[in-house]
Amino acid sequence: MNEENDKDETPTVDERGEFDPRAAATLLAQTTRRAQRQFAFPSPLLSLIQAAALLAAYGAIWLSVRDQHPYSGPSGTALVELYGFVGVAAIAVGLDGRRARAGVSGRSSRQGWIRAIPFTAAYLAVYVLMGALRFDGFSTAIVYGIVPAVGPLIVLGAAAAGDAAAREDWQVLGFAIALIAVGAGSAFAGPSGVWGVAGVGLCALLVCSAIAKVWLRRA
Amino acid sequence: MIHVPARLRIVATLAALPDGDTLSFTRLQNMIGLTPGNLITHLRKLQDAGYLSTKKTGNGVASRTSVALSNRGRAALDTYTAALRDLLGGL
């Protein structure tokens, strides 16, 4: 325990006085809550940033395709905006992860990398599926409309649901099932409308998630 | 052992980590707000009681000390929490 040379061992002064059980209970609750908040990932703030970024990303695509009859797919500019906003969300995830995990190492860090594998595989599978559907002659509305809008939500939701169920994390399980429902339900809006409906649904879900995290912390 | 403000904060902070994770001395100090010397003294007492383990890696300025709550430490915190609940419930 001699991390730095100037850390001498000094006698502690807080062992002499009375420590009231009520004060101890308050201190324990406050310390636990503060520690959980500092280790929490993703934080409520991150959920709000993701909500805004993903609404903007899906909104950019919806604005570029909403008047298309027949559907021909998003414009190049809209795709650049989409990936720009997704990039902003990804950077926010990275920064929030660094904040929460600073100084923390051990089993959960290693498990985090392993747990990311099914999510990555599921996400990449959506693009492989799009290629296969295009190859099989499916329409642009399906290949560049419905599938890329709802596919990631359904497969990532399913992967997250399985992961959360295995860890008995009911809050994340509820979020993941809602994500699947948003993805599957928004497909009814058609190839143009799906981008708007999915974007609004995803944004609402992330905002609700942020509110739930704050509320559960205070409960 | 735990019924001391500083040690209670140390144990409660480490208990918020998932089982099997360790926390660096520097971050623990930032979170608890104790001086390095005071923190070392409390950590040593907790370590002597078998409530936590420390591990040092690297040498010189690159050295890093990490701290983890042991199973015994988690059990002690659970017992302490239950005792406080009983005591306050009876007041």
Side-chain angles (χ1 to χ4, degrees):
Chain A
M1 269 179 278
N2 48 349
E3 190 176 63
E4 290 167 18
N5 294 334
D6 59 349
K7 291 171 186 165
D8 358 305
E9 293 194 23
T10 54
T12 60
V13 291
D14 55 359
E15 291 172 73
R16 291 193 291 268
E18 289 281 311
F19 188 25
D20 175 49
R22 204 180 297 275
T26 305
L27 181 65
L28 177 60
Q30 283 175 346
T31 307
T32 302
R33 216 166 20 235
R34 191 178 303 133
Q36 286 172 342
R37 191 171 58 237
Q38 292 189 16
F39 293 136
F41 177 76
S43 66
L45 177 63
L46 176 64
S47 295
L48 291 177
I49 292 171
Q50 286 179 314
L54 292 174
L55 180 65
Y58 273 72
I61 300 287
W62 176 71
L63 287 172
S64 82
V65 299
R66 63 181 168 156
D67 294 325
Q68 290 180 1
H69 304 287
Y71 185 85
S72 57
S75 65
T77 310
L79 284 173
V80 169
E81 287 173 3
L82 168 78
Y83 288 111
F85 286 119
V86 169
V88 168
I91 290 168
V93 169
L95 291 175
D96 194 47
R98 272 181 61 179
R99 171 202 60 79
R101 302 296 300 176
V104 179
S105 54
R107 192 186 301 160
S108 70
S109 298
R110 293 190 298 275
Q111 285 175 338
W113 287 108
I114 296 168
R115 283 169 51 204
I117 293 171
F119 288 89
T120 309
Y123 185 71
L124 293 177
V126 174
Y127 294 97
V128 176
L129 176 67
M130 283 170 63
L133 292 173
R134 189 70 187 151
F135 180 76
D136 290 337
F138 279 80
S139 69
T140 303
I142 297 292
V143 180
Y144 299 119
I146 303 287
V147 174
V150 306
L153 307 188
I154 293 172
V155 300
L156 292 179
D163 183 68
R167 291 183 293 115
E168 298 185 11
D169 187 337
W170 310 122
Q171 193 185 338
V172 174
L173 180 60
F175 176 86
I177 290 172
L179 186 61
I180 295 169
V182 166
S186 58
F188 285 102
S192 302
V194 67
W195 293 100
V197 175
V200 170
L202 194 53
C203 178
L205 191 57
L206 285 162
V207 169
C208 288
S209 165
I211 292 169
K213 279 176 202 159
V214 172
W215 184 75
L216 285 170
R217 236 178 238 172
R218 289 181 179 174
Chain B
M1 173 57 65
I2 296 179
H3 191 65
V4 172
R7 290 203 281 274
L8 182 58
R9 285 161 59 206
I10 292 169
V11 172
T13 300
L14 293 174
L17 283 172
D19 196 17
D21 274 7
T22 65
L23 188 64
S24 72
F25 181 95
T26 311
R27 184 156 188 210
L28 179 63
Q29 193 203 333
N30 289 340
M31 291 176 77
I32 302 289
L34 289 175
T35 64
N38 239 336
L39 180 57
I40 288 171
T41 306
H42 286 298
L43 289 178
R44 187 146 291 162
K45 286 182 178 172
L46 289 165
Q47 190 176 13
D48 290 345
Y51 289 177
L52 55 82
S53 60
T54 60
K55 187 178 173 187
K56 189 180 176 191
T57 51
N59 290 307
V61 287
S63 73
R64 181 180 186 275
T65 302
S66 53
V67 187
L69 198 62
S70 66
N71 289 337
R72 192 172 168 186
R74 274 184 201 276
L77 181 63
D78 289 344
T79 307
Y80 179 78
T81 307
L84 273 184
R85 202 168 286 142
D86 285 348
L87 198 61
L88 294 174
L91 287 178

